[in-house]
Amino acid sequence: MDTLILGNGYVGNHLKNYLINSIKTEKDVILVSKSEIDYTDSEILYNYILENNISTIVNTSGFTGTPNVDGCEDNKEDCF
């Protein structure tokens, strides 16, 4: 059984490192970015979960906007 971390940013990477150091095995922690798996598509995510025997999912993904977090106000749909 594996743990899937969604989001390849600051929080996701630190969580992955913490879990790897805590449980002493890298194969149990999978970190993916949206460019690797479109986890906004529920069917794609569901199939990935089944194929990889995922038991735990942690969503650390976020939208920071362009050029900064204030861009979220202009892109509310993307941000949601």
Side-chain angles (χ1 to χ4, degrees):
M1 294 191 281
D2 292 334
T3 298
L4 176 63
I5 301 173
L6 303 177
N8 192 18
Y10 179 83
V11 175
N13 277 289
H14 280 276
L15 179 60
K16 177 185 177 187
N17 291 334
Y18 173 79
L19 292 174
I20 289 171
N21 291 328
S22 295
I23 59 178
K24 305 294 186 213
T25 177
E26 189 168 341
K27 72 179 180 102
D28 292 333
V29 181
I30 302 168
L31 177 73
V32 295
S33 67
K34 189 176 173 189
S35 62
E36 295 173 291
I37 300 170
D38 182 7
Y39 45 75
T40 61
D41 184 320
S42 59
E43 187 173 338
I44 291 172
L45 180 59
Y46 180 75
N47 289 331
Y48 185 86
I49 291 166
L50 291 179
E51 291 168 6
N52 292 281
N53 195 28
I54 302 297
S55 62
T56 305
I57 302 170
V58 181
N59 183 7
T60 67
S61 65
F63 181 80
T64 57
T66 303
N68 56 36
V69 72
D70 294 332
C72 296
E73 289 297 320
D74 298 329
N75 298 302
K76 290 183 180 182
E77 187 173 318
D78 290 340
C79 189
F80 175 73

